[in-house]
Amino acid sequence: MSADGGVPVHARVFGGGAAEVSQVVGAMRDLSQLAGEQKFLMVADSKLVSYRNVAALLEAGVEFIAPVPAAQVKDEVYAALDLARAQVVDWVPDRDASKPADQREVYRVLEDVHTLTGPRKRDPVLRVRRILVHSTAHAKGQQAARANRLVKASAELDKLVGAAGGRHYKTREKIAARVGMIAARRRVVSCLRWHITEDEAGGPRLHWHFNQETLQTEAAADGWYALLAGIPRTKAGPAQVLIHYKGQGTVERRYHDFKGPLAVTPVFVQHNHRIAALIQVICLALLVFCLIERQVRRALGPQQTMAGLYPDNRRVRPTGRMILYHLGELTLRIGTITDPPMVQITRGVQLHLLELLGIEVPRTHRPRT
């Protein structure tokens, strides 16, 4: 996607069995040819972060940003970070722009080095900038999710304590299997401590608790995640790296458009090359879809908002989906030799959108107010 309007500039079709990790180098080379002498920044998801991909990007001199897979950074690393030393990022998400300052999501960043080792002993160790990001909204979400998991796990474990030794849980093995199932489903394996004893009659009894030290470590890691940045510090500090990364939301939105308004769904054709051709046509449709959205927003000026798209008449940024929703209700009355064709416009927002798009209609009905 281009930075200006999120317009798609490159698309390829892969077989369903193709691994995402293996697609990065090919996409990098294609984008390098498209960019020519200009430099470009590759922003991707965690699938980018493999030794082979990072080595290829560094060798080619391609600048990139991608989140480090969660398994590569332990909670203990995040828990040891000093949030007071982190730099506050001067950036506000669009969803928080209208909120009071104390209710907005706040991002803070630190920086260190991430190392990647190759599959062979002779492979050189790669050292790449790692940006450690803390989000207040992300932290609140993780805290709420953990509290919910603990409450549900506690209820199920207490119920199992009461059922231990009964008809369904007469043996240690059955109790242990049930505890394992609860721990895995509620994702409390790391903090759950339990053991089974025998009562006076020789029946099994379950005892359990949550390890508070583990929970404190998890809580200290809330809100943190890491980005791998193949950009020189002289070109982008930690805060700017995060701002660049946030541009990935545009790509994700276009994936949503691809599967939503353009309705890419399972298709049944006889040959793979027909599937590829059909998807290419849909990619062209996405290109037109995005250009329409960009043209309207450009014509609206710096604020890029307009009224009339929703019944409450609030001012919003027009999306391609909403633009086509309103223009999709236009009708064309077929003309004759003496009576030229007529576009029937029934609402003022339709006329406004046509003007923003620079489209002149020969004749119109007067729109309703």
Side-chain angles (χ1 to χ4, degrees), residues 13-290:
V13 181
F14 294 90
E20 289 187 41
V21 171
S22 64
Q23 301 170 17
V24 175
V25 175
M28 175 196 73
R29 291 172 179 164
D30 291 346
L31 291 170
S32 295
Q33 293 176 1
L34 286 173
E37 295 301 321
Q38 300 180 23
K39 295 290 184 180
F40 73 93
L41 172 64
M42 177 178 284
V43 181
D45 60 17
S46 59
K47 293 292 185 181
L48 176 84
V49 182
S50 70
Y51 182 89
R52 175 176 175 269
N53 287 341
V54 172
L57 291 166
L58 293 175
E59 182 180 358
V62 173
E63 298 176 357
F64 64 92
I65 303 172
V68 181
Q72 294 188 19
V73 185
K74 296 182 179 180
D75 284 347
E76 290 78 4
V77 174
Y78 293 130
L81 298 175
D82 185 359
L83 186 59
R85 293 180 52 249
Q87 174 190 355
V88 177
V89 181
D90 185 16
W91 182 81
V92 178
D94 290 341
R95 63 179 179 274
D96 290 348
S98 60
K99 296 180 181 179
D102 60 342
Q103 297 180 17
R104 294 175 180 175
E105 183 175 8
V106 178
Y107 290 90
R108 293 178 173 85
V109 290
L110 292 168
E111 181 175 344
D112 64 3
V113 176
H114 189 75
T115 59
L116 289 168
T117 56
R120 299 169 298 185
K121 290 185 178 180
R122 67 175 182 271
D123 290 330
V125 176
L126 303 179
R127 292 178 173 82
V128 190
R129 293 177 66 193
R130 183 170 66 181
I131 310 302
L132 301 157
V133 183
H134 183 273
S135 160
T136 53
H138 194 40
K140 290 178 182 177
Q142 288 180 314
Q143 291 165 5
R146 182 186 305 104
N148 185 51
R149 296 199 311 269
L150 293 177
V151 167
K152 291 183 177 180
S154 297
E156 294 179 3
L157 289 167
D158 286 341
K159 184 177 180 180
L160 181 59
V161 168
R167 183 177 62 175
H168 299 291
Y169 300 101
K170 292 182 178 181
T171 65
R172 289 172 172 263
E173 291 74 17
K174 289 185 177 181
I175 296 174
R178 180 59 181 169
V179 171
M181 184 181 301
I182 293 172
R185 183 172 60 187
R186 300 305 179 190
R187 292 180 291 158
V188 294
V189 174
S190 61
C191 63
L192 178 61
R193 304 291 183 267
W194 59 277
H195 65 279
I196 300 173
T197 62
E198 292 184 356
D199 58 16
E200 297 177 353
R205 286 291 176 262
L206 172 65
H207 306 271
W208 68 271
H209 69 278
F210 293 127
N211 184 281
Q212 294 304 310
E213 184 177 346
T214 302
L215 290 176
Q216 289 172 2
T217 300
E218 292 181 0
D222 284 345
W224 288 100
Y225 60 92
L227 300 175
L228 215 60
I231 309 176
R233 187 178 176 83
T234 54
K235 296 185 66 174
Q240 190 59 46
V241 168
L242 175 64
I243 293 172
H244 284 323
Y245 173 69
K246 287 300 180 180
Q248 190 197 24
T250 301
V251 180
E252 299 297 338
R253 186 160 64 89
R254 293 313 182 196
Y255 269 117
H256 175 74
D257 293 335
F258 195 78
K259 299 176 181 179
L262 300 180
V264 177
T265 56
V267 291
F268 300 93
V269 292
Q270 293 180 344
H271 303 289
N272 285 341
H273 67 267
R274 292 188 178 181
I275 297 177
L278 178 59
I279 293 178
Q280 201 64 46
V281 170
I282 299 173
C283 287
L284 292 174
L286 180 63
L287 173 63
V288 175
F289 181 90
C290 298

